[in-house]
Amino acid sequence: MSKVNWNLKNANLLSLLVALTGAFIVLLPLIVVFLTSFGGAGTTAGVFPKNWTLANYRQAWEQGKFLLAFANSTLVAIAVTAFQIFTSALAGYALARLKFRGRQALLLVVLATLVIPFQLLVIPIFLVLKWGHLINTYWALILPTAVNGFGIFLLCQYFQTIPVELEEAAAIDGANRLQILWRIMLPLARPALVTLFLFTFIGEWNDLFKPLVFTTRPELRTVQLALAEFQEQYTNNWPLMMAAVTITTVPVIVLFLIGQRQFIQGIATTGIKN
């Protein structure tokens, strides 16, 4: 018995060491970026700074005009996330619970959209936006990704893990489909909703392609576009560039840390079908 416990203890220790090593490898670039951002002018990339200073952050924030970029990215990310949660909840519930002809075929079509790169659709999307006079507007950054096959599939799979008896009991009490979805299914699907929220918000926050293609007005600059323009101006100033990178990265890291528990639960339970 003691030998079994000793082997189990060693296995747990080995797993912990492997996990810590993997975490260190993943976090090493972020650590280098963070440390470099505090260096003085002339510091090379990846060198531990000798003279610590916060001036890089103030200079990067002011010269990069990140206040407007943060506002634009937040607006676009929240709008796209809200649209995706709304559309994914309705479509996912319909595919999970409603019985109609062609349901499986429709689900396959939704899954097929996941393998089509967005860049492949940029020309037809651009033409549609131009036809609707939406180029150089916020709608050009919101509508192209307002619906997402991943979100529909994610919520469809999660809804299937919820017992049907709960819906049947609510239907007996007089609730209709929308009331069941709003009052029963969505509260129970909170981990999946948080997962979709994090995926969508972080993806939109880090998106450079849409602002680069669909907008040219400076007042519509997002965080990633502002960061790209800032890096072009200060190519040789590594501490200043790393400060700008840190400024744009911290919000999504904080957001992920806040929702990580629900995120892990949503990923762990999605795909388990009763």
Side-chain angles (χ1 to χ4, degrees):
M1 186 67 180
S2 60
K3 184 177 181 180
V4 173
N5 292 335
W6 185 82
N7 291 334
L8 182 61
K9 183 178 180 181
N10 285 342
N12 292 336
L13 181 60
L14 179 61
S15 299
L16 178 61
L17 291 176
V18 172
L20 291 176
T21 303
F24 176 76
I25 293 175
V26 171
L27 294 176
L28 182 59
L30 293 178
I31 295 174
V32 173
V33 168
F34 184 71
L35 293 178
T36 305
S37 67
F38 290 100
T43 304
T44 56
V47 178
F48 192 86
K50 297 180 180 179
N51 300 318
W52 294 73
T53 178
L54 292 173
N56 295 323
Y57 286 91
R58 182 179 59 189
Q59 183 180 353
W61 178 264
E62 294 176 352
Q63 297 185 5
K65 299 179 181 179
F66 283 108
L67 180 60
L68 178 60
F70 266 62
N72 289 334
S73 288
T74 302
L75 174 62
V76 171
I78 290 178
V80 172
T81 302
F83 273 115
Q84 284 201 19
I85 290 177
F86 177 75
T87 56
S88 298
L90 292 178
Y93 180 71
L95 292 172
R97 287 292 191 259
L98 302 184
K99 305 299 181 182
F100 56 90
R101 181 176 298 179
R103 183 170 64 95
Q104 292 298 328
L106 183 58
L107 181 58
L108 290 177
V109 171
V110 171
L111 292 176
T113 62
L114 300 179
V115 301
I116 302 176
F118 182 80
Q119 291 78 3
L120 192 63
L121 304 174
V122 65
I123 294 179
I125 291 176
F126 183 88
L127 294 176
V128 171
L129 293 175
K130 185 178 179 180
W131 174 79
H133 304 286
L134 298 177
I135 298 295
N136 276 324
T137 67
Y138 285 111
W139 291 112
L141 303 177
I142 296 173
L143 292 180
T145 50
V147 181
N148 184 267
F150 169 76
I152 295 174
F153 177 73
L154 177 70
L155 289 183
C156 174
Q157 292 297 101
Y158 199 93
F159 285 148
Q160 290 179 353
T161 67
I162 300 175
V164 181
E165 290 76 12
L166 295 175
E167 299 174 71
E168 294 175 348
I172 293 175
D173 291 336
N176 56 39
R177 285 289 186 181
L178 289 179
Q179 290 173 330
I180 292 174
L181 175 62
W182 177 255
R183 298 183 179 180
I184 296 177
M185 302 298 284
L186 291 183
L188 293 176
R190 182 180 177 183
L193 293 176
V194 173
T195 301
L196 179 58
F197 174 86
L198 290 176
F199 266 115
T200 306
F201 189 95
I202 294 175
E204 291 298 318
W205 184 273
N206 293 329
D207 182 39
L208 174 63
F209 190 75
K210 284 191 300 181
L212 195 61
V213 175
F214 300 141
T215 62
T216 56
R217 293 163 53 190
E219 57 269 26
L220 293 178
R221 288 195 318 167
T222 59
V223 164
Q224 297 305 320
L225 191 56
L227 180 62
E229 294 177 357
F230 184 85
Q231 290 176 335
E232 290 179 359
Q233 298 177 14
Y234 300 95
T235 305
N236 297 323
N237 194 334
W238 283 98
L240 194 59
M241 283 200 303
M242 295 303 102
V245 171
T246 303
I247 289 173
T248 60
T249 305
V250 166
V252 293
I253 293 178
V254 173
L255 184 65
F256 179 80
L257 292 177
I258 294 174
Q260 63 172 329
R261 181 173 299 180
Q262 296 290 335
F263 172 80
I264 295 173
Q265 183 179 353
I267 291 296
T269 54
T270 300
I272 301 176
K273 184 177 179 180
N274 292 336

